[in-house]
mmCIF file with all atom_site columns, all heavy atoms in Angstrom:
data_model
loop_
_atom_site.group_PDB
_atom_site.id
_atom_site.type_symbol
_atom_site.label_atom_id
_atom_site.label_alt_id
_atom_site.label_comp_id
_atom_site.label_asym_id
_atom_site.label_entity_id
_atom_site.label_seq_id
_atom_site.pdbx_PDB_ins_code
_atom_site.Cartn_x
_atom_site.Cartn_y
_atom_site.Cartn_z
_atom_site.occupancy
_atom_site.B_iso_or_equiv
_atom_site.pdbx_formal_charge
_atom_site.auth_seq_id
_atom_site.auth_comp_id
_atom_site.auth_asym_id
_atom_site.auth_atom_id
_atom_site.pdbx_PDB_model_num
ATOM 1   N N   . ALA K 1 40 ? 16.349 -71.601 42.844 1.00 91.00 ? 50 ALA K N   1
ATOM 2   C CA  . ALA K 1 40 ? 16.972 -72.254 41.677 1.00 91.00 ? 50 ALA K CA  1
ATOM 3   C C   . ALA K 1 40 ? 15.925 -72.599 40.686 1.00 91.00 ? 50 ALA K C   1
ATOM 4   O O   . ALA K 1 40 ? 14.877 -73.231 40.999 1.00 91.00 ? 50 ALA K O   1
ATOM 5   C CB  . ALA K 1 40 ? 17.721 -73.526 42.100 1.00 91.00 ? 50 ALA K CB  1
ATOM 6   N N   . ASN K 1 41 ? 16.115 -72.178 39.432 1.00 94.00 ? 51 ASN K N   1
ATOM 7   C CA  . ASN K 1 41 ? 15.260 -72.493 38.308 1.00 94.00 ? 51 ASN K CA  1
ATOM 8   C C   . ASN K 1 41 ? 13.816 -72.148 38.578 1.00 94.00 ? 51 ASN K C   1
ATOM 9   O O   . ASN K 1 41 ? 12.895 -72.936 38.280 1.00 94.00 ? 51 ASN K O   1
ATOM 10  C CB  . ASN K 1 41 ? 15.355 -73.979 37.948 1.00 94.00 ? 51 ASN K CB  1
ATOM 11  C CG  . ASN K 1 41 ? 14.872 -74.345 36.559 1.00 94.00 ? 51 ASN K CG  1
ATOM 12  O OD1 . ASN K 1 41 ? 15.036 -73.511 35.646 1.00 94.00 ? 51 ASN K OD1 1
ATOM 13  N ND2 . ASN K 1 41 ? 14.209 -75.448 36.479 1.00 94.00 ? 51 ASN K ND2 1
ATOM 14  N N   . LEU K 1 42 ? 13.563 -70.957 39.171 1.00 97.00 ? 52 LEU K N   1
ATOM 15  C CA  . LEU K 1 42 ? 12.210 -70.590 39.529 1.00 97.00 ? 52 LEU K CA  1
ATOM 16  C C   . LEU K 1 42 ? 11.508 -69.870 38.360 1.00 97.00 ? 52 LEU K C   1
ATOM 17  O O   . LEU K 1 42 ? 12.145 -69.138 37.586 1.00 97.00 ? 52 LEU K O   1
ATOM 18  C CB  . LEU K 1 42 ? 12.281 -69.629 40.717 1.00 97.00 ? 52 LEU K CB  1
ATOM 19  C CG  . LEU K 1 42 ? 12.853 -70.110 42.041 1.00 97.00 ? 52 LEU K CG  1
ATOM 20  C CD1 . LEU K 1 42 ? 12.823 -69.042 43.059 1.00 97.00 ? 52 LEU K CD1 1
ATOM 21  C CD2 . LEU K 1 42 ? 12.146 -71.380 42.497 1.00 97.00 ? 52 LEU K CD2 1
ATOM 22  N N   . PRO K 1 43 ? 10.190 -70.002 38.273 1.00 98.00 ? 53 PRO K N   1
ATOM 23  C CA  . PRO K 1 43 ? 9.397  -69.131 37.367 1.00 98.00 ? 53 PRO K CA  1
ATOM 24  C C   . PRO K 1 43 ? 9.525  -67.664 37.868 1.00 98.00 ? 53 PRO K C   1
ATOM 25  O O   . PRO K 1 43 ? 9.835  -67.452 39.033 1.00 98.00 ? 53 PRO K O   1
ATOM 26  C CB  . PRO K 1 43 ? 8.018  -69.666 37.459 1.00 98.00 ? 53 PRO K CB  1
ATOM 27  C CG  . PRO K 1 43 ? 7.920  -70.320 38.785 1.00 98.00 ? 53 PRO K CG  1
ATOM 28  C CD  . PRO K 1 43 ? 9.301  -70.942 39.044 1.00 98.00 ? 53 PRO K CD  1
ATOM 29  N N   . ILE K 1 44 ? 9.264  -66.750 37.005 1.00 98.00 ? 54 ILE K N   1
ATOM 30  C CA  . ILE K 1 44 ? 9.475  -65.330 37.292 1.00 98.00 ? 54 ILE K CA  1
ATOM 31  C C   . ILE K 1 44 ? 8.182  -64.560 37.152 1.00 98.00 ? 54 ILE K C   1
ATOM 32  O O   . ILE K 1 44 ? 7.444  -64.794 36.201 1.00 98.00 ? 54 ILE K O   1
ATOM 33  C CB  . ILE K 1 44 ? 10.550 -64.779 36.345 1.00 98.00 ? 54 ILE K CB  1
ATOM 34  C CG1 . ILE K 1 44 ? 11.919 -65.488 36.598 1.00 98.00 ? 54 ILE K CG1 1
ATOM 35  C CG2 . ILE K 1 44 ? 10.686 -63.275 36.505 1.00 98.00 ? 54 ILE K CG2 1
ATOM 36  C CD1 . ILE K 1 44 ? 12.954 -65.184 35.512 1.00 98.00 ? 54 ILE K CD1 1
ATOM 37  N N   . LEU K 1 45 ? 7.973  -63.666 38.065 1.00 98.00 ? 55 LEU K N   1
ATOM 38  C CA  . LEU K 1 45 ? 6.834  -62.698 37.984 1.00 98.00 ? 55 LEU K CA  1
ATOM 39  C C   . LEU K 1 45 ? 7.372  -61.288 37.974 1.00 98.00 ? 55 LEU K C   1
ATOM 40  O O   . LEU K 1 45 ? 8.119  -60.880 38.898 1.00 98.00 ? 55 LEU K O   1
ATOM 41  C CB  . LEU K 1 45 ? 5.902  -62.906 39.210 1.00 98.00 ? 55 LEU K CB  1
ATOM 42  C CG  . LEU K 1 45 ? 4.559  -62.187 39.261 1.00 98.00 ? 55 LEU K CG  1
ATOM 43  C CD1 . LEU K 1 45 ? 4.686  -60.726 39.691 1.00 98.00 ? 55 LEU K CD1 1
ATOM 44  C CD2 . LEU K 1 45 ? 3.783  -62.282 37.986 1.00 98.00 ? 55 LEU K CD2 1
ATOM 45  N N   . VAL K 1 46 ? 7.075  -60.541 36.965 1.00 98.00 ? 56 VAL K N   1
ATOM 46  C CA  . VAL K 1 46 ? 7.441  -59.132 36.834 1.00 98.00 ? 56 VAL K CA  1
ATOM 47  C C   . VAL K 1 46 ? 6.193  -58.284 36.994 1.00 98.00 ? 56 VAL K C   1
ATOM 48  O O   . VAL K 1 46 ? 5.264  -58.383 36.179 1.00 98.00 ? 56 VAL K O   1
ATOM 49  C CB  . VAL K 1 46 ? 8.125  -58.856 35.495 1.00 98.00 ? 56 VAL K CB  1
ATOM 50  C CG1 . VAL K 1 46 ? 8.488  -57.384 35.302 1.00 98.00 ? 56 VAL K CG1 1
ATOM 51  C CG2 . VAL K 1 46 ? 9.405  -59.706 35.314 1.00 98.00 ? 56 VAL K CG2 1
ATOM 52  N N   . PHE K 1 47 ? 6.128  -57.494 38.010 1.00 98.00 ? 57 PHE K N   1
ATOM 53  C CA  . PHE K 1 47 ? 4.921  -56.660 38.299 1.00 98.00 ? 57 PHE K CA  1
ATOM 54  C C   . PHE K 1 47 ? 5.205  -55.189 38.016 1.00 98.00 ? 57 PHE K C   1
ATOM 55  O O   . PHE K 1 47 ? 6.245  -54.693 38.346 1.00 98.00 ? 57 PHE K O   1
ATOM 56  C CB  . PHE K 1 47 ? 4.503  -56.836 39.743 1.00 98.00 ? 57 PHE K CB  1
ATOM 57  C CG  . PHE K 1 47 ? 3.383  -55.947 40.120 1.00 98.00 ? 57 PHE K CG  1
ATOM 58  C CD1 . PHE K 1 47 ? 2.083  -56.206 39.660 1.00 98.00 ? 57 PHE K CD1 1
ATOM 59  C CD2 . PHE K 1 47 ? 3.556  -54.792 40.908 1.00 98.00 ? 57 PHE K CD2 1
ATOM 60  C CE1 . PHE K 1 47 ? 0.994  -55.352 39.945 1.00 98.00 ? 57 PHE K CE1 1
ATOM 61  C CE2 . PHE K 1 47 ? 2.517  -53.962 41.226 1.00 98.00 ? 57 PHE K CE2 1
ATOM 62  C CZ  . PHE K 1 47 ? 1.206  -54.219 40.732 1.00 98.00 ? 57 PHE K CZ  1
ATOM 63  N N   . VAL K 1 48 ? 4.170  -54.526 37.396 1.00 98.00 ? 58 VAL K N   1
ATOM 64  C CA  . VAL K 1 48 ? 4.309  -53.104 37.046 1.00 98.00 ? 58 VAL K CA  1
ATOM 65  C C   . VAL K 1 48 ? 3.065  -52.403 37.632 1.00 98.00 ? 58 VAL K C   1
ATOM 66  O O   . VAL K 1 48 ? 1.915  -52.759 37.370 1.00 98.00 ? 58 VAL K O   1
ATOM 67  C CB  . VAL K 1 48 ? 4.335  -52.903 35.546 1.00 98.00 ? 58 VAL K CB  1
ATOM 68  C CG1 . VAL K 1 48 ? 4.725  -51.421 35.239 1.00 98.00 ? 58 VAL K CG1 1
ATOM 69  C CG2 . VAL K 1 48 ? 5.382  -53.847 34.925 1.00 98.00 ? 58 VAL K CG2 1
ATOM 70  N N   . HIS K 1 49 ? 3.297  -51.349 38.449 1.00 98.00 ? 59 HIS K N   1
ATOM 71  C CA  . HIS K 1 49 ? 2.247  -50.663 39.201 1.00 98.00 ? 59 HIS K CA  1
ATOM 72  C C   . HIS K 1 49 ? 1.409  -49.735 38.269 1.00 98.00 ? 59 HIS K C   1
ATOM 73  O O   . HIS K 1 49 ? 1.825  -49.351 37.211 1.00 98.00 ? 59 HIS K O   1
ATOM 74  C CB  . HIS K 1 49 ? 2.838  -49.827 40.344 1.00 98.00 ? 59 HIS K CB  1
ATOM 75  C CG  . HIS K 1 49 ? 3.668  -48.686 39.835 1.00 98.00 ? 59 HIS K CG  1
ATOM 76  N ND1 . HIS K 1 49 ? 3.110  -47.462 39.438 1.00 98.00 ? 59 HIS K ND1 1
ATOM 77  C CD2 . HIS K 1 49 ? 4.998  -48.509 39.628 1.00 98.00 ? 59 HIS K CD2 1
ATOM 78  C CE1 . HIS K 1 49 ? 4.051  -46.650 39.054 1.00 98.00 ? 59 HIS K CE1 1
ATOM 79  N NE2 . HIS K 1 49 ? 5.230  -47.247 39.172 1.00 98.00 ? 59 HIS K NE2 1
ATOM 80  N N   . GLY K 1 50 ? 0.244  -49.348 38.771 1.00 97.00 ? 60 GLY K N   1
ATOM 81  C CA  . GLY K 1 50 ? -0.623 -48.410 38.087 1.00 97.00 ? 60 GLY K CA  1
ATOM 82  C C   . GLY K 1 50 ? -0.423 -46.951 38.519 1.00 97.00 ? 60 GLY K C   1
ATOM 83  O O   . GLY K 1 50 ? 0.544  -46.661 39.199 1.00 97.00 ? 60 GLY K O   1
ATOM 84  N N   . GLY K 1 51 ? -1.276 -46.082 38.042 1.00 97.00 ? 61 GLY K N   1
ATOM 85  C CA  . GLY K 1 51 ? -1.168 -44.668 38.384 1.00 97.00 ? 61 GLY K CA  1
ATOM 86  C C   . GLY K 1 51 ? -1.699 -43.700 37.352 1.00 97.00 ? 61 GLY K C   1
ATOM 87  O O   . GLY K 1 51 ? -1.264 -42.552 37.309 1.00 97.00 ? 61 GLY K O   1
ATOM 88  N N   . ALA K 1 52 ? -2.598 -44.170 36.467 1.00 97.00 ? 62 ALA K N   1
ATOM 89  C CA  . ALA K 1 52 ? -3.232 -43.273 35.499 1.00 97.00 ? 62 ALA K CA  1
ATOM 90  C C   . ALA K 1 52 ? -2.240 -42.586 34.582 1.00 97.00 ? 62 ALA K C   1
ATOM 91  O O   . ALA K 1 52 ? -2.492 -41.441 34.152 1.00 97.00 ? 62 ALA K O   1
ATOM 92  C CB  . ALA K 1 52 ? -4.154 -42.259 36.175 1.00 97.00 ? 62 ALA K CB  1
ATOM 93  N N   . PHE K 1 53 ? -1.093 -43.212 34.342 1.00 98.00 ? 63 PHE K N   1
ATOM 94  C CA  . PHE K 1 53 ? -0.063 -42.741 33.456 1.00 98.00 ? 63 PHE K CA  1
ATOM 95  C C   . PHE K 1 53 ? 0.788  -41.609 34.017 1.00 98.00 ? 63 PHE K C   1
ATOM 96  O O   . PHE K 1 53 ? 1.891  -41.339 33.515 1.00 98.00 ? 63 PHE K O   1
ATOM 97  C CB  . PHE K 1 53 ? -0.602 -42.281 32.103 1.00 98.00 ? 63 PHE K CB  1
ATOM 98  C CG  . PHE K 1 53 ? -1.373 -43.321 31.387 1.00 98.00 ? 63 PHE K CG  1
ATOM 99  C CD1 . PHE K 1 53 ? -2.758 -43.278 31.244 1.00 98.00 ? 63 PHE K CD1 1
ATOM 100 C CD2 . PHE K 1 53 ? -0.739 -44.439 30.815 1.00 98.00 ? 63 PHE K CD2 1
ATOM 101 C CE1 . PHE K 1 53 ? -3.455 -44.225 30.567 1.00 98.00 ? 63 PHE K CE1 1
ATOM 102 C CE2 . PHE K 1 53 ? -1.457 -45.411 30.100 1.00 98.00 ? 63 PHE K CE2 1
ATOM 103 C CZ  . PHE K 1 53 ? -2.811 -45.320 29.997 1.00 98.00 ? 63 PHE K CZ  1
ATOM 104 N N   . VAL K 1 54 ? 0.310  -40.875 35.013 1.00 98.00 ? 64 VAL K N   1
ATOM 105 C CA  . VAL K 1 54 ? 0.997  -39.681 35.474 1.00 98.00 ? 64 VAL K CA  1
ATOM 106 C C   . VAL K 1 54 ? 1.494  -39.728 36.939 1.00 98.00 ? 64 VAL K C   1
ATOM 107 O O   . VAL K 1 54 ? 2.109  -38.788 37.388 1.00 98.00 ? 64 VAL K O   1
ATOM 108 C CB  . VAL K 1 54 ? 0.046  -38.426 35.311 1.00 98.00 ? 64 VAL K CB  1
ATOM 109 C CG1 . VAL K 1 54 ? -0.205 -38.164 33.811 1.00 98.00 ? 64 VAL K CG1 1
ATOM 110 C CG2 . VAL K 1 54 ? -1.237 -38.635 36.099 1.00 98.00 ? 64 VAL K CG2 1
ATOM 111 N N   . ARG K 1 55 ? 1.207  -40.784 37.615 1.00 97.00 ? 65 ARG K N   1
ATOM 112 C CA  . ARG K 1 55 ? 1.566  -40.860 39.007 1.00 97.00 ? 65 ARG K CA  1
ATOM 113 C C   . ARG K 1 55 ? 1.821  -42.384 39.389 1.00 97.00 ? 65 ARG K C   1
ATOM 114 O O   . ARG K 1 55 ? 1.671  -43.230 38.557 1.00 97.00 ? 65 ARG K O   1
ATOM 115 C CB  . ARG K 1 55 ? 0.484  -40.282 39.940 1.00 97.00 ? 65 ARG K CB  1
ATOM 116 C CG  . ARG K 1 55 ? -0.865 -40.921 39.832 1.00 97.00 ? 65 ARG K CG  1
ATOM 117 C CD  . ARG K 1 55 ? -1.885 -40.266 40.720 1.00 97.00 ? 65 ARG K CD  1
ATOM 118 N NE  . ARG K 1 55 ? -3.170 -40.893 40.626 1.00 97.00 ? 65 ARG K NE  1
ATOM 119 C CZ  . ARG K 1 55 ? -4.108 -40.597 39.776 1.00 97.00 ? 65 ARG K CZ  1
ATOM 120 N NH1 . ARG K 1 55 ? -3.912 -39.592 38.915 1.00 97.00 ? 65 ARG K NH1 1
ATOM 121 N NH2 . ARG K 1 55 ? -5.284 -41.228 39.730 1.00 97.00 ? 65 ARG K NH2 1
ATOM 122 N N   . GLY K 1 56 ? 2.118  -42.598 40.623 1.00 96.00 ? 66 GLY K N   1
ATOM 123 C CA  . GLY K 1 56 ? 2.326  -43.949 41.111 1.00 96.00 ? 66 GLY K CA  1
ATOM 124 C C   . GLY K 1 56 ? 3.777  -44.266 41.335 1.00 96.00 ? 66 GLY K C   1
ATOM 125 O O   . GLY K 1 56 ? 4.671  -43.565 40.884 1.00 96.00 ? 66 GLY K O   1
ATOM 126 N N   . ASP K 1 57 ? 3.987  -45.310 42.107 1.00 96.00 ? 67 ASP K N   1
ATOM 127 C CA  . ASP K 1 57 ? 5.350  -45.706 42.502 1.00 96.00 ? 67 ASP K CA  1
ATOM 128 C C   . ASP K 1 57 ? 5.341  -47.198 42.869 1.00 96.00 ? 67 ASP K C   1
ATOM 129 O O   . ASP K 1 57 ? 4.269  -47.646 43.354 1.00 96.00 ? 67 ASP K O   1
ATOM 130 C CB  . ASP K 1 57 ? 5.793  -44.865 43.699 1.00 96.00 ? 67 ASP K CB  1
ATOM 131 C CG  . ASP K 1 57 ? 7.287  -44.998 43.997 1.00 96.00 ? 67 ASP K CG  1
ATOM 132 O OD1 . ASP K 1 57 ? 7.598  -46.003 44.615 1.00 96.00 ? 67 ASP K OD1 1
ATOM 133 O OD2 . ASP K 1 57 ? 8.017  -44.100 43.653 1.00 96.00 ? 67 ASP K OD2 1
#
Side-chain angles (χ1 to χ4, degrees):
N51 198 37
L52 299 180
I54 297 168
L55 187 283
V56 177
F57 175 72
V58 190
H59 68 83
F63 302 109
V64 294
R65 59 182 180 271
D67 192 281

